[in-house]
Amino acid sequence: MALLKKSRAAADKPLELELEKVLPEIFEALAAEGYRPTRDTDIRIVYKNEGTYFCFYYRTEDPEFLMLRATFERSVYEDVHEAFIYKACAATDFDQKVSKAYVDDEGDLVFSVESFLLPGTPVAPLALRLNDALAATIAFFHRKLPELVKEYEREEELEEELSHVSGLPN
């Protein structure tokens, strides 16, 4: 009977998030998948995924929030008009649901995936899922951006062709 009482007490005890283990668990999960993560600050793990630097951010002051981010300098897209970048960001936000794509104050392009990290959440699988989601978000953006540019160019060509047509029947 005493064993049953202990079991019930353990089940009724709320799960706690072990704050000091969050980043080490993420680090281990990434290393096990073949990434080469580094801890460059107290709150950040950096690693490359297909040539792009990804950064996990976790602060014990905000223990229920985990973010993965990748940033591209504006110079990467210097040949693309800003309007197309904003349209591609909006399309990415709409389509990808859990991610964000935006232009920051310096004009750089930022992609992020964020998650609540509640007590009992298995951190390592969540981190790997966020990694996949961010990679998919960036890939979507890089497919969508040229599509928007091509669509605009086709519309411009069509308008130009129509402007040369004269003598349309009434």
Side-chain angles (χ1 to χ4, degrees):
M1 189 67 166
L3 184 59
L4 183 57
K5 284 183 182 179
K6 285 183 182 178
S7 174
R8 285 186 184 156
D12 291 341
K13 181 181 174 186
L15 296 171
E16 293 184 23
L17 190 59
E18 296 182 70
L19 307 180
E20 67 282 349
K21 291 185 177 181
V22 171
L23 285 176
E25 284 186 41
I26 293 170
F27 190 96
E28 289 175 25
L30 292 170
E33 290 294 313
Y35 298 103
R36 293 188 174 115
T38 59
R39 277 285 290 270
D40 70 340
T41 67
D42 294 1
I43 65 167
R44 187 168 85 163
I45 293 174
V46 178
Y47 64 100
K48 271 190 173 182
N49 182 340
E50 297 183 21
T52 300
Y53 282 103
F54 283 18
C55 301
F56 267 105
Y57 293 89
Y58 180 74
R59 295 188 349 232
T60 56
E61 301 85 39
D62 193 6
E64 294 181 342
F65 184 72
L66 180 63
M67 179 174 56
L68 179 60
R69 178 182 283 173
T71 302
F72 293 82
E73 292 181 3
R74 177 63 172 104
S75 60
V76 172
Y77 306 98
E78 66 187 353
D79 59 333
V80 180
H81 191 278
E82 192 173 14
F84 295 119
I85 291 174
Y86 282 106
K87 284 183 179 188
C89 284
T92 301
D93 285 348
F94 179 78
D95 187 83
Q96 296 298 296
K97 312 291 189 260
V98 298
S99 62
K100 295 178 183 177
Y102 60 94
V103 177
D104 69 9
D105 293 340
E106 289 83 39
D108 296 334
L109 188 57
V110 180
F111 299 96
S112 69
V113 179
E114 302 166 354
S115 178
F116 287 110
L117 188 58
L118 304 175
T121 301
V123 174
L126 174 62
L128 295 176
R129 180 66 186 117
L130 293 176
N131 175 66
D132 293 344
L134 186 59
T137 298
I138 293 169
F140 178 87
F141 178 89
H142 286 115
R143 283 190 311 271
K144 191 65 177 175
L145 184 60
E147 286 176 15
L148 291 169
V149 172
K150 285 180 185 175
E151 181 180 310
Y152 175 79
E153 289 170 350
R154 282 193 301 267
E155 289 174 4
E156 287 288 305
E157 288 173 6
L158 182 59
E159 283 182 22
E160 189 174 317
E161 287 176 23
L162 291 176
S163 69
H164 294 318
V165 175
S166 60
L168 293 176
N170 290 337

